[in-house]
Amino acid sequence: MTHGNEFELNRRTVMKLGVGVAAVAGAAVDLSPKVFAAETAPAKAPALGARLSRAEGPLKVTGQARYAIEQKLENLAYGVTVQSTRPAGRIVNIDTSAAKALPGVLDVYTAQNFLKLNKPTVYSKGGGATEEFTPIQDDVVRFNGMHIALVVAETFEQATEAATLLKVEYEDGDPVLDINDPKAIAQLIDPMGAARGDAATALANSEVKIDVTYTTSREYNVPMEPHACIASWENGKITVWEPSQWVGGARSVVSEWLGIDIENVRVISPYVGGGFGSKIGAHPHVGLACAASRKLGRPIKVSLTRPQTFTGLRGRPATRQTLSIGASKDGKISSIVHESWNETAIDDVHVEACNNVTKIMYATPNFSSRLNIVPVNTVQPGWKRGPGENPSAYALESAIDELAHALNMDPITLRLANWAEIDPSNGMKWTTRQLREAYAAGAEAIGWWSRTPAPCSMREGRELIGYGMAAGSYPMIRTASEARIVLHASGQIEVLSAGTDMGTGTYTILAQTAADALGVPVEAIAVRLGDTILPRSALAGGSQQANNLTGAVDKAAKNARDALLALAASDPKSPLAASKATDLTFENSSVRPTRRPSAGISIAELLKAVGKDKLEIEGNTFAPGATEEMKNGADRSFAQLKGAVEGGVSAHSWCAHFVEVRIDEDFGTIRVKRMVSAFDSGRIFNPKLAESQWISGMVMGLGQALLEEGYVDQRDGRTVNANFADYAVPVNADVPDIQVISVGIPDMQATALGGKGVGEIGVVGVAPAIGNAVFHATGKRIRSLPITLEKLA
Amino acid sequence: MRTFEYLRAEDAATAVVEAAKPETRFLAGGTTLLDLMKLNVERPARVVDITRLSGLDTIEVSADVIRIGALAKMSKVADHADIKEAAPALSESLWRAASAQLRNMASVGGNLMQRTRCTYFRDPGAYSNCNKRNPGSGCAALDGVNRNHAVLGTSGVCIAIYPGDFAVSLVAFDATVIVRGASERKIPVDEFFLLPGDTPHLEHQLSAGEMIVGIEIPRSAALERSHYLKVCDRESYEFAAASAAVGIELEADGKTIRDVRIAVGGLATKPWRLRVVENLLKGKTLDEATLRTAAAATVDGAKSSGHNAFKIELAPKSWHAP
Ligand SMILES: Cc1cc2nc3c(=O)[nH]c(=O)nc-3n(C[C@H](O)[C@H](O)[C@H](O)COP(=O)(O)OP(=O)(O)OC[C@H]3O[C@@H](n4cnc5c(N)ncnc54)[C@H](O)[C@@H]3O)c2cc1C
Ligand code: SF4
């Protein structure tokens, strides 16, 4: 990152922070005091804003962080799911006799010998589930790759072998295979459309028109840690170790599946090996694990294989968008007419909000947008980084580039000519919108103004060179959350939240937040996350968690300071008992009389003096008077989620991406040579972690642009490249020199501490920037992703 | 996974005897075999681990021949200084293959024996119709997703690509495979691999129990001036969309082609030597026009199955694009 508040903590401090945090974060809470024996901090700069490495990093790279299925449980049995090989119809019979005859096999569950799972409530209806589908409850085949059985055995190998021995008899139905299937029937999602002015007429009357269709393929989140869990039923209660972006949601879904009180469900997820949206919901295999554990009275581990993850849950659906833009010859956009279609499961609804960027990015008086879903025989699609915004920006920002070319205008100049002073979709003011700064910084860093604008005009040997750019946005959503701080007489301080850290840095920034608010070195703080027994938190998704939780921790820390002052003034055993709380000050982790700086005592000394071994203080960001029901709603559903226009202002993160591509003119192979992106994510809590998020989003965008595509067999709907050799994601060699620039300023209207979303914005707009660069290099406009070499032939 | 018996062979003679028993496979680096066992494509009853056999991992470059032991790791061969000098295409075809981790595990013997990546072949749970796995059952790929299937050397019963890179460079430079069974024999590598014809389940010349012990490549001027080029969507760690091993020797005039070797990969059911093209080029002047004319012959007889039509366009370019 090129500017921002940077300073280096020495390496040892960082390592210590890691060990400290992790010791608490691990399943067994070992608060051994030596780990926390604080050293004087090397610098007295604020911790928030510092470039700290991930606190739990050392544990992960040394293999000590225990992921969900690495828990060691007594008497563990192994469940392996079997997936359908037909896309539609019924299962007439599953012969399990050969499987059951194998040594070690405990049982085989199918629709004929079934484990009851109640339908969970999906998030759109107030629950925590991402799909209503529950496997093996009936004989209907909904898609190829659907779980149709669970084989449970003493060992994984036995279960795997037994799973191959089921004899499944199908009665074929008539499938709708994908979004292009002529049998597919689209359904309009009217409430999610948008309209202002008279878009059709304005388009018809405009001087210059762009009328294009853009498509994206099925994409998969493919986190390194596959979807895999352990469920353990004991005496009417269940504990589930599940890699989760949202333990509260998973908890409510498990209670619904099993029909048990939510108090009897605990979900634990201290470490998550990536999710990118796919671990927000607990997916159906988790239900099978839970129900089987209850049935057998043993802990059960169910790990989807990599191929099974492609149909055990889904990533981004295939999309199609039509976009018409009308403009005057001098580049003023007068109308945008947009319509989108995305695949969804035949009996579940997933809407990809493909107009989220389209409707706010440019000032046009006339606008209309309609969203449609296309039910097909597929596993329910889900969220993949930048859901909605990502395809939205792809079509819009590609079409804007087409318009720039048609007008013979520079793409940045065209964007600035249509700058939206206010949110055009609702007339509200922006909170902050540093997008002009992003254009300027990105253009400068990549050398935009020295490109020759004509397509095919730049080359080096047999390589065609192309420069492209595109912008993006991501809405600032927020949910009130809780946090707890535990001050120990030993001097250690714990910060607790049910929120999870999927590698994004939650452990680290919460320690930074608490350290600043309590005036202690960051290594004195131990953070514990990812467990439903901890204070309630919304999901780690939609780029909201960092702001939700830093806000809650900051509140808890303020409450802790007040509690310490009150304790010091009121407890007869306190050395400061003679003072009034209002005459005391909290500073640098000690309480002192405001007028006598030298008479301070540390938190630990105070606690020892009053005979307490710890003090627990809660804090939250709920409005005063929030009920328990509201707090549970925030933890288990989207009921308390506040959108981008909360408070009558419009809050979004913004970005501008710039790329240089090199294309081999003989082979059509595209290599991205450089990427430079500038982001407005408001205040940055930890530049190193924010940069990692942005960069990883950009790499994901590169994969989307050039490589990633689920292939569907047109006879039976099977995903035939459901593995890492055939579903290509970028490898290191594909990832170019990447520069990220922060242009944000603290946005106090957006969030408590001034941050905006970081995690999702990185991917939004990357694919159109690359597509636009391909056009610049070759003069060929490829309107479908990914841009593989045969498309350039 | 089926339960199997594991034997670690201490000497080559025992390995060969053990491996001749029914349903037995050699295990070298395991990067193909274990994958296929997990996929239920390979279900051996017995596995003979040959990785401890001594003397089979040597690399020797003498004045007229290069000898590589079957157990030499891909990474070792690729990095070998003499090989890089005497046979750049061999080295390049190895380091452009797979990933660093795989190359550190995998042996060159196992590499020759790697099996097709045809996705239908690798998915027995869903597709029983695969003539290679299950002779006579049909071919799911013919009307399926066949973007990465062969356009050369196909038959009506199988269009699976031979996916390896190394064998392509071996075929270009007339290597022989040294095989040990009851006795030792040498097989020219071009003959070692079989066309699918009506019997796609037969892929090579080895009979039960026969083990590859080494590879011999005669040195030549063309080999010294050689290159392996691989075209893929992804920069690394992907099987070839098209590839070529090319070696060239010029006359003293510096422009007339005395000797040229070309073989292509990622296109055919076996490593594909382009002798016709070589003959069109020999004795000609090396210039772009000559190359383009000859290149057209690369895809003589090529047949598209649909998604893979682009390979026919790409193939000639894979070796003539300077
Ligand atoms: C994800 C992935 C990507 C890959 N990408 C590429 C690529 O881009 N290019 C490429 O060329 N390859 C690629 N490969 C294939 C890889 O190179 C082979 O798997 C490897 O070379 C096999 O060697 P091995 O020693 O591990 O063989 P093994 O798996 O041990 O054996 C493979 C087969 O050969 C038999 N065998 C082994 N040794 C002998 C012997 N001495 N005599 C007779 N039979 C023997 C075994 O019985 C088995 O049937 C890739 C593999 C993977 C998994
Ligand atoms: S191409 Fe060959 S390997 Fe693939 S399905 Fe057909 S017969 Fe089997």
Side-chain angles (χ1 to χ4, degrees):
Chain A
M1 200 157 86
T2 45
H3 72 79
N5 185 6
E6 302 173 10
F7 77 91
E8 284 291 321
L9 275 182
N10 70 46
R11 200 171 150 268
R12 199 159 159 245
T13 311
V14 173
M15 289 297 285
K16 279 189 64 184
L17 171 69
V19 174
V21 169
V24 177
V29 183
D30 169 20
L31 292 171
S32 67
K34 62 182 185 303
V35 172
F36 295 91
E39 268 175 28
T40 38
K44 256 299 167 213
L48 263 189
R51 183 176 275 281
L52 296 187
S53 292
R54 258 162 47 185
E56 82 293 7
L59 281 189
K60 286 183 174 168
V61 297
T62 56
Q64 296 176 68
R66 267 200 202 163
Y67 289 82
I69 56 163
E70 294 172 334
Q71 306 306 317
K72 305 237 180 315
L73 299 189
E74 292 280 314
N75 205 25
L76 185 65
Y78 295 78
V80 166
T81 84
V82 179
Q83 298 184 329
S84 67
T85 58
R86 306 300 306 160
R90 302 177 39 240
I91 293 172
V92 178
N93 185 43
I94 301 185
D95 178 356
T96 58
S97 52
K100 281 186 175 160
L102 275 198
V105 174
L106 298 167
D107 211 342
V108 180
Y109 303 106
T110 65
Q112 292 149 294
N113 172 32
F114 88 128
L115 294 162
K116 172 124 179 72
L117 288 173
N118 301 316
K119 285 226 173 295
T121 313
V122 289
Y123 66 91
S124 55
K125 297 180 183 159
T130 44
E131 61 261 86
E132 225 168 51
F133 166 65
T134 45
I136 71 169
Q137 306 302 300
D138 58 30
D139 62 358
V140 179
V141 179
R142 292 172 175 77
F143 55 91
N144 198 325
M146 175 186 113
H147 303 308
I148 55 171
L150 180 76
V151 180
V152 185
E154 295 289 348
T155 70
F156 173 69
E157 289 75 13
Q158 289 164 338
T160 303
E161 175 66 6
T164 66
L165 299 179
L166 301 193
K167 288 190 195 72
V168 187
E169 214 181 303
Y170 296 96
E171 183 185 293
D172 279 337
D174 193 13
V176 178
L177 289 180
D178 61 22
I179 192 169
N180 299 318
D181 193 318
K183 293 197 291 290
I185 299 171
Q187 297 170 12
L188 181 67
I189 306 290
D190 205 32
M192 291 179 72
R196 55 182 186 263
D198 180 353
T201 311
L203 181 68
N205 296 337
S206 55
E207 291 171 340
V208 182
K209 267 175 255 178
I210 291 293
D211 193 9
V212 285
T213 301
Y214 278 88
T215 63
T216 65
S217 298
R218 291 185 183 181
E219 299 162 35
Y220 298 84
N221 304 42
V222 292
M224 281 305 289
E225 177 199 24
H227 293 71
C229 67
I230 297 178
S232 180
W233 175 271
E234 226 173 330
N235 304 324
K237 293 180 191 266
I238 192 155
T239 306
V240 187
W241 286 266
E242 153 77 348
S244 177
Q245 294 177 235
W246 187 21
V247 291
R251 185 186 188 208
S252 81
V253 172
V254 170
S255 83
E256 289 184 329
W257 276 332
L258 300 182
I260 60 173
D261 195 293
I262 194 164
E263 296 305 321
N264 293 327
V265 180
R266 180 175 174 192
V267 177
I268 303 178
S269 186
Y271 304 109
V272 184
F276 318 112
S278 71
K279 288 174 182 166
I280 294 173
H283 294 293
H285 66 279
V286 182
L288 291 174
C290 292
S293 176
R294 171 161 73 178
K295 182 95 168 212
L296 293 170
R298 296 177 63 166
I300 311 274
K301 181 190 290 194
V302 174
S303 326
L304 299 185
T305 62
R306 179 62 64 185
Q308 287 181 327
T309 63
F310 283 74
T311 53
L313 58 133
R314 254 278 303 275
R316 202 190 310 281
T319 68
R320 180 171 65 244
Q321 297 181 70
T322 57
L323 199 60
S324 306
I325 306 182
S328 62
K329 282 189 191 137
D330 60 356
K332 278 273 179 220
I333 297 175
S334 52
S335 180
I336 297 179
V337 178
H338 172 246
E339 184 153 12
S340 76
W341 293 262
N342 72 263
E343 293 178 334
T344 187
I346 42 166
D347 46 13
D348 260 309
V349 174
H350 172 89
V351 190
E352 197 69 18
C354 286
N355 55 6
N356 273 1
V357 178
T358 325
K359 68 188 176 196
I360 66 167
M361 193 52 106
Y362 300 107
T364 168
N366 303 292
F367 180 86
S368 82
S369 170
R370 288 150 48 100
L371 305 187
N372 302 271
I373 54 171
V374 184
V376 307
N377 289 86
T378 168
V379 60
Q380 167 71 341
W383 292 304
K384 181 175 174 187
R385 217 171 194 161
E389 289 74 17
N390 174 313
S392 179
Y394 170 57
L396 177 68
E397 291 295 288
S398 304
I400 290 288
D401 200 71
E402 299 210 37
L403 180 63
H405 181 68
L407 293 165
N408 199 16
M409 210 168 157
D410 173 77
I412 299 177
T413 313
L414 174 63
R415 284 171 170 84
L416 291 174
N418 293 284
W419 179 259
E421 275 303 330
I422 52 169
D423 183 338
S425 70
N426 50 34
M428 291 178 194
K429 285 198 167 125
W430 305 116
T431 57
T432 48
R433 193 184 198 224
Q434 299 284 101
L435 184 57
R436 280 197 198 95
E437 289 76 2
Y439 291 144
E444 158 85 27
I446 200 140
W448 178 260
W449 303 111
S450 33
R451 78 164 189 162
T452 51
C456 304
S457 63
M458 297 176 76
R459 67 156 63 225
E460 190 177 304
R462 300 185 88 92
E463 268 183 357
L464 307 171
I465 300 174
Y467 283 67
M469 59 85 52
S473 67
Y474 196 82
M476 190 61 234
I477 61 173
R478 289 142 288 193
T479 312
S481 296
E482 298 176 325
R484 188 184 311 142
I485 290 187
V486 188
L487 305 169
H488 291 269
S490 60
Q492 58 195 245
I493 298 171
E494 281 179 276
V495 171
L496 311 179
S497 163
T500 59
D501 186 335
M502 51 175 155
T504 45
T506 322
Y507 282 112
T508 318
I509 60 166
L510 296 190
Q512 291 174 271
T513 308
D516 279 1
L518 295 172
V520 299
V522 93
E523 59 267 34
I525 311 274
V527 181
R528 191 171 155 200
L529 297 174
D531 190 331
T532 49
I533 63 170
L534 299 176
R536 290 167 284 199
S537 161
L539 63 153
S543 287
Q544 58 171 326
Q545 186 179 257
N547 286 296
N548 290 344
L549 295 186
T550 51
V553 168
D554 191 56
K555 262 291 181 50
K558 289 196 172 113
N559 293 345
R561 279 153 38 181
D562 293 346
L564 286 166
L565 297 187
L567 181 68
S570 64
D571 194 296
K573 286 186 279 202
S574 158
L576 297 171
S579 321
K580 279 196 229 146
T582 47
D583 294 335
L584 296 176
T585 300
F586 184 89
E587 195 180 68
N588 288 342
S589 81
S590 59
V591 182
R592 64 170 172 83
T594 310
R595 295 182 195 182
R596 264 196 305 140
S598 61
I601 55 168
S602 72
I603 301 173
E605 284 163 352
L606 174 62
L607 290 179
K608 274 185 208 136
V610 303
K612 281 187 188 296
D613 58 352
K614 64 179 180 189
L615 190 62
E616 300 202 20
I617 308 101
E618 307 256 342
N620 66 63
T621 48
F622 287 96
T627 60
E628 275 304 292
E629 197 191 338
M630 290 162 76
K631 291 179 180 175
N632 284 336
D635 178 61
R636 300 168 190 171
S637 73
F638 290 3
Q640 296 293 317
L641 190 146
K642 300 192 163 64
V645 295
E646 181 67 14
V649 283
S650 185
H652 301 262
S653 297
W654 303 97
C655 66
H657 300 284
F658 293 81
V659 302
E660 177 190 338
V661 299
R662 297 294 180 108
I663 300 176
D664 185 297
E665 71 173 332
D666 293 296
F667 308 140
T669 42
I670 305 168
R671 301 291 180 249
V672 178
K673 180 88 189 275
R674 281 193 300 155
M675 297 173 101
V676 175
S677 303
F679 294 94
D680 169 9
S681 290
R683 174 184 179 193
I684 300 303
F685 299 135
N686 180 327
K688 185 169 191 174
L689 300 178
E691 287 165 21
S692 299
Q693 286 300 301
W694 290 329
I695 290 170
S696 64
M698 291 160 72
V699 173
M700 202 175 255
L702 192 158
Q704 173 188 36
L706 300 180
L707 298 168
E708 298 184 41
E709 174 177 12
Y711 296 129
V712 181
D713 188 295
Q714 290 301 312
R715 297 162 300 185
D716 59 15
R718 194 161 178 84
T719 309
V720 294
N721 59 338
N723 62 72
F724 266 147
D726 298 318
Y727 180 82
V729 296
V731 295
N732 281 332
D734 295 297
V735 177
D737 176 19
I738 294 184
Q739 187 185 353
V740 290
I741 303 167
S742 174
V743 294
I745 52 174
D747 186 338
M748 307 314 290
Q749 283 177 291
T751 60
L753 300 187
K756 296 196 286 187
V758 166
E760 318 251 4
I761 185 76
V763 74
V764 182
V766 173
I770 293 174
N772 296 342
V774 169
F775 174 74
H776 181 231
T778 63
K780 288 186 184 141
R781 185 66 71 175
I782 309 300
R783 299 192 182 90
S784 67
L785 296 183
I787 308 175
T788 45
L789 53 87
E790 69 264 44
K791 291 186 186 168
L792 282 182
Chain B
M1 197 189 282
R2 178 185 182 190
T3 307
F4 59 90
E5 198 185 334
Y6 169 87
L7 292 114
R8 179 183 293 160
E10 302 297 339
D11 57 77
T14 324
V16 169
V17 171
E18 289 297 334
K21 296 180 180 164
E23 294 189 74
T24 307
R25 287 278 184 267
F26 290 115
L27 174 71
T31 62
T32 285
L33 184 65
L34 296 191
D35 258 20
L36 292 176
M37 286 168 71
K38 288 187 215 161
L39 293 169
N40 227 15
V41 173
E42 291 275 12
R43 293 179 57 83
R46 308 163 75 248
V47 160
V48 178
D49 182 348
I50 54 174
T51 53
R52 306 295 168 98
L53 299 184
S54 59
L56 287 186
D57 61 352
T58 49
I59 303 168
E60 291 162 31
V61 180
S62 67
D64 46 32
V65 67
I66 298 171
R67 281 199 188 82
I68 305 171
L71 290 176
K73 298 292 185 198
M74 287 169 75
S75 52
K76 280 269 162 53
V77 182
D79 286 347
H80 197 277
D82 295 343
I83 295 220
K84 282 192 201 162
E85 181 153 338
L90 294 189
S91 165
E92 288 164 1
S93 66
L94 286 165
W95 73 253
R96 295 285 276 125
S99 67
Q101 292 89 333
L102 286 160
R103 294 192 297 269
N104 284 339
M105 278 301 287
S107 65
V108 294
N111 182 286
L112 296 188
M113 298 288 287
Q114 67 179 286
R115 305 197 68 191
T116 185
R117 306 299 298 192
C118 168
T119 134
Y120 300 97
F121 170 75
R122 294 168 65 87
D123 190 1
Y127 299 100
S128 55
N129 46 337
C130 169
N131 290 323
K132 191 183 273 301
R133 242 194 296 112
N134 196 358
S137 61
C139 169
L142 281 175
D143 302 316
V145 178
N146 47 36
R147 180 177 191 250
N148 221 3
H149 282 76
V151 293
L152 290 165
T154 58
S155 73
V157 294
C158 181
I159 55 171
I161 270 183
Y162 174 81
D165 292 298
F166 184 50
V168 174
S169 58
L170 293 180
V171 163
F173 298 99
D174 300 315
T176 41
V177 183
I178 307 166
V179 167
R180 173 150 178 199
S183 60
E184 198 165 289
R185 61 185 181 121
K186 291 187 179 183
I187 311 165
V189 69
D190 205 5
E191 291 164 29
F192 181 84
F193 294 102
L194 305 175
L195 286 169
D198 290 332
T199 53
H201 59 291
L202 304 176
E203 297 173 348
H204 52 74
Q205 295 269 13
L206 293 187
S207 19
E210 271 188 318
M211 177 169 74
I212 302 174
V213 289
I215 301 159
E216 272 181 13
I217 310 104
R219 291 188 61 173
S220 62
L223 181 56
E224 234 155 275
R225 275 196 74 186
S226 68
H227 179 45
Y228 187 77
L229 185 141
K230 190 171 173 183
V231 182
C232 331
D233 284 301
R234 182 155 83 174
E235 175 66 22
S236 149
Y237 200 11
E238 192 176 19
F239 288 94
S243 70
V246 181
I248 193 157
E249 182 193 357
L250 298 179
E251 300 287 357
D253 64 5
K255 56 182 189 200
T256 310
I257 300 171
R258 177 188 291 171
D259 185 16
V260 60
R261 317 287 184 86
I262 308 168
V264 288
L267 298 165
T269 52
K270 61 178 260 183
W272 201 253
R273 179 82 179 260
L274 293 175
R275 287 183 206 279
V276 175
V277 179
E278 290 172 8
N279 290 334
L280 287 173
L281 289 171
K282 276 183 203 160
K284 302 272 167 53
T285 307
L286 177 65
D287 58 31
E288 176 125 11
T290 316
L291 291 177
R292 286 199 188 267
T293 317
T298 303
V299 286
D300 275 356
K303 189 169 173 301
S304 150
S305 301
H307 304 109
N308 57 356
F310 77 100
K311 282 179 185 271
I312 300 177
E313 293 278 311
L314 189 59
K317 298 175 182 172
S318 69
W319 65 265
H320 80 64

